[in-house]
Amino acid sequence: LNSNVLTVVDQRTAHVTILASERGGRYPDGRSLLITGRELRLLVDPSLSVSIRQEEMPPVEGVLLSHCHEDHMAGLHRFPAVPCSVHELDMPALRSIEGLMTAYGYTGYPAIETRWRRTVLEDFHYRPRPDAKDLRDGEVIELGGGVRTHVVHTPGHTAGHCCLLVEPDSVLYLADVDLSSFGPYYGDAVSSLGEFEQTISKLREIEAGHYVTFHQIGVIEGHAAFIERLNRYAGVIAAREQRLLELLAEPRSLPELVARRIVYRPHDDVPFADPVERRTIAQHLERLVQAGAVTEVEPGRYVAVSR
Ligand SMILES: [Zn+2]
C-alpha cells in the first residue's frame, strides 16, 4: 500500500501489514492490521485512518475486532458487506449503540453519556453490526498457504478483548494491552482489574518475534524487550494502588476519591474522567478492603489500616 493520504509508511512482515497511522497510533487513531494468506485477507481493528484510506486498500474477506471500543471500529462502516467477528462477550456493544453505551457504563452521568454517544456516532462512525460472528478463545483461522491466526482471549480491558497470534510471522497483536506509560485501562463497566492482571500473566508466556500495539508504542522486537515493557506497564497498577492508599491516610468517600483521581492527572481534560475514575477506584477499594489494607470506618467512608 502506498497511501496518498498519509505521510507515514506501513510496516510489514511476510504476511502482516501494519497500517500506518498519521498520528503515530495516538488516540483517537491506531494501527490496524492486514493479514494476507493465499486464500483470504483479513483486516483487524479498522481505525480512523482506515476510514480515510479505504479506497486504496485491497479487498478483504473478513474484519476481526480485538474488542468493541470506538477507536477500533471507526473504519468498520466502510465494510458493511464484509463479515465481521468479535468475541461473544463484546458482542452486545456491536449489536447496538445501547449495548455499547452500557458497556462503557456512564449511566449515572447523563450529560457525559449524551455527549459521548454523539461523539461515537459522529466522530467514530459507529454502525451496529447485529450480523457479527463470534471469535472464540483458542480458535485458529486458516487464511491459506500456511498462514493462520490464533485467537487468544485476553479479558480485562473489556470482557471480550482478544489478542491475535499470526503464524508463521510470529506476530502477536496486543490491541489495547498497549504497553503505554498511561498503563492498563480497566475503567469501563465491562472492564476487570483482576482479569487484566491474569491477562498480563498469560501474555508473559507467549514468545513471539514481534509484538504490535494499536496505540503509540507500535512494534516491539523479541520477548525480552516485550517483558521489559510489560513489567513497566503492569507497574502502573501498583502505582495507582499506592496513590489510593496515600489518599486514604485520612477517611474519604468514593466521590471524594474520584475528585482526587488515580488514573488521570488533575488537569487532563477527559470528558469521561469521573465515571472511569469511579469504576477504577471502586475495583481497587474492593480488593484493598478484602485484603484488610483498607477499612470502611462508617458507611461509604474508607481509611487505610496503618501497620
Ligand atoms: Zn480499547
Side-chain angles (χ1 to χ4, degrees):
L1 295 183
N2 293 302
S3 176
N4 299 319
V5 186
L6 304 181
T7 56
V8 283
V9 294
D10 299 331
Q11 291 171 277
R12 279 186 189 76
T13 61
H15 307 94
V16 178
T17 305
I18 302 160
L19 296 173
S21 156
E22 187 72 271
R23 293 164 51 87
R26 206 168 286 276
Y27 183 89
D29 205 1
R31 293 184 195 80
S32 308
L33 256 55
L34 280 173
I35 310 171
T36 307
R38 202 170 53 206
E39 277 120 46
L40 293 179
R41 184 183 283 117
L42 299 178
L43 171 62
V44 180
D45 283 0
S47 66
L48 280 174
S49 283
V50 165
S51 181
I52 293 166
R53 65 189 293 200
Q54 181 247 353
E55 277 162 26
E56 60 173 278
M57 284 182 35
V60 297
E61 282 74 42
V63 178
L64 308 184
L65 299 180
S66 62
H67 65 296
C68 283
H69 268 161
E70 70 288 350
D71 47 335
H72 294 253
M73 45 186 179
L76 184 59
H77 68 113
R78 297 285 196 182
F79 304 88
V82 177
C84 158
S85 310
V86 72
H87 191 278
E88 62 177 345
L89 292 176
D90 273 20
M91 198 71 85
L94 194 53
R95 287 211 185 100
S96 71
I97 183 73
E98 292 308 324
L100 180 60
M101 296 312 294
T102 302
Y104 291 126
Y106 303 159
T107 41
Y109 298 86
I112 293 173
E113 209 206 46
T114 302
R115 187 173 149 198
W116 185 238
R117 180 187 300 252
R118 194 180 314 132
T119 301
V120 166
L121 288 168
E122 292 175 8
D123 300 345
F124 291 96
H125 319 290
Y126 178 82
R127 303 286 183 280
R129 287 293 300 262
D131 60 308
K133 294 185 178 60
D134 277 6
L135 278 182
R136 290 172 185 276
D137 185 40
E139 181 177 347
V140 180
I141 304 165
E142 298 284 350
L143 286 83
V147 180
R148 61 187 77 84
T149 298
H150 301 255
V151 177
V152 186
H153 184 212
T154 48
H157 180 71
T158 65
H161 187 280
C162 288
C163 296
L164 302 170
L165 179 64
V166 184
E167 297 288 10
D169 297 37
S170 195
V171 170
L172 182 64
Y173 175 61
L174 296 164
D176 271 359
V177 181
D178 66 10
L179 307 177
S180 64
S181 57
F182 176 85
Y185 175 96
Y186 40 89
D188 286 4
V190 296
S191 302
S192 163
L193 167 58
E195 286 184 348
F196 212 130
E197 289 178 321
Q198 286 167 26
T199 278
I200 289 171
S201 300
K202 185 174 184 177
L203 290 175
R204 203 178 279 285
E205 305 301 319
I206 302 181
E207 294 194 25
H210 320 272
Y211 298 80
V212 182
T213 69
F214 185 69
H215 292 299
Q216 284 92 325
I217 304 295
V219 184
I220 291 171
E221 303 292 346
H223 190 245
F226 168 63
I227 292 297
E228 192 194 319
R229 283 275 189 182
L230 191 65
N231 287 341
R232 231 182 304 163
Y233 180 67
V236 176
I237 296 175
R240 287 178 189 145
E241 198 147 293
Q242 189 53 43
R243 156 116 175 113
L244 184 55
L245 283 169
E246 284 161 15
L247 288 172
L248 289 171
E250 55 187 277
R252 293 185 202 273
S253 67
L254 183 53
E256 285 166 6
L257 293 167
V258 167
R260 296 295 185 113
R261 296 185 171 187
I262 68 166
V263 178
Y264 299 105
R265 291 165 301 180
H267 55 275
D268 287 341
D269 182 20
V270 178
F272 38 75
D274 281 4
V276 169
E277 292 284 351
R278 189 181 181 91
R279 170 80 181 128
T280 303
I281 292 169
Q283 291 180 85
H284 280 283
L285 263 185
E286 190 188 337
R287 74 178 193 180
L288 286 169
V289 168
Q290 267 172 15
V294 166
T295 183
E296 197 171 359
V297 276
E298 55 184 273
R301 290 187 82 75
Y302 302 86
V303 71
V305 175
S306 46
R307 309 178 178 229

